[in-house]
C-alpha cells in the first residue's frame, strides 16, 4: 500500500462544493482506503491505497459525487511525489507566507506553457517545475490575478493551490503515515 496526499479542488464551507470532512473520511474508508485522515476543512486528505494514482483520483471523485453530491477535481500525489514537490521549491529561502504551490492534474501542453512563460508576472514570481507551479506573491495571493483560475484557464488543466504552511503540514502527515 502507498500513502497518498489527496487534494480536492474548490472545496467550500457552504454551497455547491461543500464537502464535510467527517463524511468524506467515512465515505473514503468505506470505499477501501485505509488510514484516512483530513487536514483542515479545505479538502486535504491523507490515505493509503493499493490503487495507482489515476485509479485513486477516479475513486475519490466518484465517491464524492455519489455520496456527497459535489463534482470536483481530485489531484493525488504519492508521498515520494509530494516530497519531491517540496524539495524542488525554487523559493525555499523566501518569505513562506507569500509562497503558494499549484498542483496540476497533468503535465501542461508545451505550447500552452510557452504562452504562460511569456507572461510578465511581476511583481510576483512564478516557476513551473513538472506538474507544479510555484508562486511567490509580492503581497498576498488574493491581490494577484495570477491565481488558480488563471493557471487553469491558460494551461487547460485542472489545478488546486495550497499555501506553504498547508503543504508543509500535509508533507509531515503523509511521511508520518508512510
Amino acid at each position: 500500500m502507498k500513502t497518498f496526499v489527496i487534494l480536492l479542488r474548490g472545496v467550500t464551507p457552504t454551497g455547491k462544493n461543500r464537502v464535510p470532512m467527517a463524511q468524506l473520511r467515512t465515505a473514503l474508508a468505506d470505499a477501501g482506503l485505509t488510514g484516512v485522515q483530513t487536514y483542515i476543512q479545505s479538502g486535504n486528505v491523507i490515505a493509503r491505497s493499493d490503487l495507482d494514482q489515476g485509479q485513486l483520483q477516479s475513486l475519490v471523485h466518484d465517491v464524492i459525487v455519489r455520496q456527497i453530491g459535489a463534482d470536483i477535481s481530485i489531484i493525488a500525489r504519492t508521498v515520494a511525489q509530494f516530497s519531491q514537490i517540496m524539495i524542488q521549491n525554487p523559493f525555499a529561502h523566501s518569505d513562506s507566507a507569500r509562497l503558494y504551490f499549484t498542483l496540476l492534474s497533468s503535465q501542461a501542453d508545451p505550447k500552452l506553457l510557452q504562452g504562460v512563460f511569456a507572461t510578465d508576472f511581476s511583481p510576483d514570481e512564478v516557476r513551473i517545475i513538472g506538474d507544479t507551479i510555484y508562486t511567490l506573491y509580492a503581497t498576498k495571493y488574493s491581490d494577484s490575478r495570477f491565481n488558480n483560475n488563471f493557471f487553469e484557464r491558460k494551461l487547460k488543466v485542472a489545478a488546486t493551490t495550497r499555501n506553504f504552511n498547508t503543504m508543509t503540514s500535509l508533507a509531515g502527515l503523509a511521511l508520518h503515515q508512510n
Side-chain angles (χ1 to χ4, degrees):
M1 282 199 152
K2 292 178 277 197
T3 300
F4 288 89
V5 176
I6 305 163
L7 306 175
L8 287 59
R9 194 262 188 251
V11 170
T12 57
T14 60
K16 173 177 108 162
N17 289 337
R18 183 175 180 273
V19 179
M21 294 298 111
Q23 184 180 356
L24 177 63
R25 285 190 301 272
T26 300
L28 293 177
D30 290 347
L33 302 185
T34 61
V36 179
Q37 58 182 343
T38 56
Y39 175 72
I40 61 179
Q41 298 298 310
S42 58
N44 306 292
V45 180
I46 309 293
R48 294 181 55 78
S49 175
D50 285 327
L51 299 174
D52 69 27
Q53 186 173 336
Q55 293 169 322
L56 178 69
Q57 290 173 164
S58 293
L59 173 78
V60 172
H61 175 267
D62 294 347
V63 165
I64 291 171
V65 168
R66 272 194 324 273
Q67 297 194 25
I68 298 173
D71 187 6
I72 54 179
S73 296
I74 307 299
I75 297 175
R77 298 291 185 265
T78 64
V79 171
Q81 290 168 325
F82 207 80
S83 295
Q84 193 62 31
I85 290 168
M86 300 305 288
I87 290 166
Q88 291 177 328
N89 174 10
F91 303 116
H93 301 292
S94 300
D95 179 5
S96 63
R98 299 184 301 120
L99 178 58
Y100 286 75
F101 300 73
T102 301
L103 286 76
L104 306 176
S105 60
S106 62
Q107 293 276 341
D109 178 279
K111 289 182 183 181
L112 296 175
L113 272 176
Q114 283 180 331
V116 170
F117 281 129
T119 304
D120 178 8
F121 291 104
S122 60
D124 302 327
E125 294 182 59
V126 176
R127 303 287 184 280
I128 302 172
I129 301 173
D131 56 12
T132 304
I133 300 170
Y134 302 83
T135 307
L136 184 63
Y137 291 96
T139 56
K140 297 185 295 190
Y141 176 80
S142 60
D143 290 343
S144 177
R145 67 183 183 103
F146 305 114
N147 56 28
N148 196 86
N149 292 338
F150 171 86
F151 292 122
E152 282 185 325
R153 192 173 54 254
K154 292 293 184 180
L155 297 174
K156 301 189 185 326
V157 296
T160 190
T161 300
R162 300 294 189 274
N163 66 31
F164 176 83
N165 288 341
T166 298
M167 292 290 287
T168 301
S169 294
L170 290 171
L173 290 169
L175 283 171
H176 184 261
Q177 193 176 105
N178 197 25

